[in-house]
Amino acid sequence: MSKLPQWVGRLGTGLTRLAHRLESQQADMLGPDGEGDDAARGPGPSEDHPHGGHPSGGTPGAGAGAGAGADDGAGAARGGEGPEGAKSTEGAGGAAGEGAGARPEPPSVPAPPAYAPAVSARPDPVDAVPWGVRVAAEAGWRLLVLGGTVWVLMKVISSVQLVVLSFTVALLITALLEPTVTRLRRRGVPRGLATAITFISGFVIMGLVVWFVVWQVMENVDEVSGEVQAGIDDLRRWLLHSPFHVTEKQINHVAKSLREAIGANTEQITSAGLEGVTVVVEVMTGILLSMFCTLFLLYDGQKIWNWSLKLVPAPARAGVAGAGPRAWATLTAYVRGTVIVALIDAIFIGVGLFFLDVPMAVPLAVFIFLFAFIPLVGAVVSGALAVVVALVTQGVFTGAMVVVVVLAVQQIEGHVLQPFILGRAVRVHPLAVVLSVAAGSLIGGIGGAVVAVPLVAVANTVVGYLRAYSQETALRAVPGPHGATASATAPVPPPVVPPGPPPGEGGG
């Protein structure tokens, strides 16, 4: 048992040396400033070991006890070095206990220096785009959607062009004949009988007009062809004696070239004839389809309109229901006014042609009546046709007089008849007329040019009414004022257009 205190003393000395080594290593890691001593010492009792327990599981007095034992052993072995040796041994034991429990931690990341620039957060991409670019983008994609919708609609119309034109022509004819059905029903005629009388009489009159034109052309074609040949001979003689120095050989060469061109293009002429037969079949099909649609629009127009309203979404149904009668009134006024204006043009120009002794005055007057349904362009074409016939058959003076007659009648029509008969309800700007006629002719040929302007007039009426209706609805949604200012700020209703009954309504 005498050797046990010596062994304990040696153990305490070794632990003291180990503690000194760990302290020197920590000092080397932290640098000369000595920062971070608290981190190198390890957690105290209040952090990792709140109860003061030793990391190895013992009590905090274990190290002190070991130190005390080592002091006793060392004092006994060395002859009693005194209380100073005991204190040093006790301190060594305590340091050994702390060194055994401490664990070195890696150094922390240093804070950025004070002179480092502040980095701001990236802005929202939406806020980074300029306002003008955002507005242009919003308008651009909406225009693309509208353009795509119009393109698809045009493709669909081109695929069923015959059906669309036939139904549109049926609408125009119904607008012309529906007032007659209304008058007959007011006089007590049943709906079916009134529809039958109006339908049969209307199409019989239109058929007689077409037959009369064809008959007059066939009756006068020989006379006109002879006069045209005489006019060509006169033109040839004038060219021979004109200051242009045209020779007989050059005129014969031109005539020979025309004959050769006709002979070389015989196949094309034959195919054009076959296409003409196809066109005739399509025209007959379109006429029959228009007659069928007109009959049912006259008889069941109100039911068809009510069924169409059910396809409109409920929030927009009230506005569309109000725009429909106004659109029908505009279409009826346009068709009636155009018929009256065209009839006046045909009568006055036909009378002028008759007194100037122009051949086929009556057929030319009928052509003027039919072409009057194509605004602006139709008057120019029919007037030019009358001038050419007069120039070829009667000479330059008669042609000049026909020009004067046509221009005078058209000026009276544009400045007096149309404003008085059509009124402001169907007035469309001339630029809109020209563009609509051009677009209609590109889409549907002559039929498209005929129906383009009335469709634009109807669209103008519908858009104007819906705009006024939306403004009135918005004003009604706002709470009205009270007191004396109520009358001054009350919403003003939109201008009222006298609505006409939808097709086939007929007073009941």
Side-chain angles (χ1 to χ4, degrees):
M1 296 299 293
S2 61
K3 293 181 179 182
L4 181 58
Q6 297 179 1
W7 178 81
V8 173
R10 287 195 298 268
L11 179 60
T13 305
L15 291 175
T16 303
R17 292 175 182 174
L18 179 61
H20 286 305
R21 277 184 199 172
L22 291 176
E23 289 179 358
S24 64
Q25 289 179 1
Q26 290 179 2
D28 294 339
M29 291 172 59
L30 295 177
D33 296 337
E35 295 180 356
D37 292 340
D38 296 336
R41 291 193 186 99
S46 63
E47 296 178 359
D48 293 342
H49 308 285
H51 298 288
H54 196 267
S56 61
T59 59
D71 291 341
D72 295 337
R78 294 172 188 170
E81 293 179 356
E84 293 180 2
K87 291 180 180 180
S88 63
T89 305
E90 183 179 359
E98 290 180 2
R103 295 179 182 177
E105 296 182 359
S108 61
V109 178
Y115 60 84
V119 180
S120 60
R122 291 185 178 181
D124 190 359
V126 178
D127 297 334
V129 179
W131 176 255
V133 177
R134 292 172 62 183
V135 173
E138 293 284 341
W141 73 260
R142 286 177 171 83
L143 289 176
L144 287 177
V145 171
L146 290 177
T149 304
V150 172
W151 182 80
V152 172
L153 184 61
M154 291 298 103
K155 284 293 184 181
V156 172
I157 291 176
S158 300
S159 301
V160 291
Q161 177 179 349
L162 181 62
V163 178
V164 174
L165 285 179
S166 300
F167 183 75
T168 308
V169 171
L171 279 176
L172 298 178
I173 298 174
T174 304
L176 180 64
L177 299 180
E178 190 269 337
T180 305
V181 176
T182 303
R183 294 191 188 97
L184 291 176
R185 294 197 60 192
R186 287 175 181 173
R187 298 193 177 189
V189 181
R191 175 185 296 179
L193 183 59
T195 302
I197 293 173
T198 305
F199 175 80
I200 294 173
S201 60
F203 277 95
V204 165
I205 292 174
M206 287 186 284
L208 288 176
V209 170
V210 174
W211 170 81
F212 180 76
V213 172
V214 174
W215 173 60
Q216 287 291 317
V217 171
M218 297 301 296
E219 284 289 327
N220 295 276
V221 66
D222 295 334
E223 179 184 356
V224 173
S225 62
E227 293 181 354
V228 168
Q229 184 63 39
I232 293 174
D233 293 338
D234 294 338
L235 178 63
R236 181 177 180 179
R237 286 193 296 269
W238 181 81
L239 288 174
L240 290 174
H241 297 87
S242 67
F244 299 106
H245 304 289
V246 180
T247 61
E248 185 77 21
K249 183 178 180 181
Q250 292 174 341
I251 295 176
N252 293 333
H253 179 70
V254 172
K256 182 180 178 181
S257 300
L258 290 175
R259 286 193 297 269
E260 290 177 355
I262 294 174
N265 296 325
T266 305
E267 295 182 359
Q268 286 81 355
I269 294 174
T270 304
S271 62
L274 295 176
E275 291 180 358
V277 174
T278 305
V279 170
V280 170
V281 173
E282 290 182 355
V283 168
M284 295 302 298
T285 304
I287 291 173
L288 293 176
L289 187 58
S290 297
M291 294 174 64
F292 186 79
C293 293
T294 302
L295 178 62
F296 280 95
L297 286 174
L298 288 173
Y299 184 75
D300 278 337
Q302 183 63 38
K303 294 180 180 178
I304 295 173
W305 171 246
N306 293 333
W307 177 83
S308 301
L309 283 178
K310 296 179 181 178
L311 303 178
V312 181
R317 192 171 299 167
V320 176
R326 288 163 176 79
W328 183 249
T330 300
L331 184 62
T332 303
Y334 176 85
V335 174
R336 277 198 241 165
T338 304
V339 169
I340 295 173
V341 171
L343 186 61
I344 294 174
D345 287 352
I347 291 175
F348 280 96
I349 295 178
V351 169
L353 295 176
F354 177 79
F355 281 107
L356 291 172
D357 200 16
V358 177
M360 295 193 307
V362 177
L364 287 175
V366 176
F367 275 114
I368 291 170
F369 172 79
L370 296 177
F371 276 91
F373 285 91
I374 305 176
L376 297 180
V377 180
V380 174
V381 173
S382 59
L385 179 62
V387 170
V388 168
V389 172
L391 181 64
V392 172
T393 58
Q394 299 297 324
V396 178
F397 176 76
T398 305
M401 294 303 297
V402 171
V403 170
V404 172
V405 171
V406 170
L407 290 179
V409 172
Q410 289 182 356
Q411 289 299 316
I412 295 173
E413 169 203 338
H415 294 86
V416 178
L417 296 179
Q418 284 189 354
F420 178 73
I421 296 175
L422 295 179
R424 295 183 177 272
V426 294
R427 181 172 295 179
V428 182
H429 195 276
L431 179 60
V433 172
V434 173
L435 294 179
S436 60
V437 169
S441 60
L442 290 176
I443 296 173
I446 297 177
V450 170
V451 303
V453 177
L455 291 181
V456 171
V458 169
N460 185 28
T461 301
V462 170
V463 171
Y465 173 80
L466 291 179
R467 185 187 299 115
Y469 177 81
S470 62
Q471 293 176 357
E472 183 181 1
T473 304
L475 289 175
R476 288 178 179 176
V478 177
H482 301 282
T485 59
S487 59
T489 60
V492 179
V496 178
V497 179
E505 183 178 5

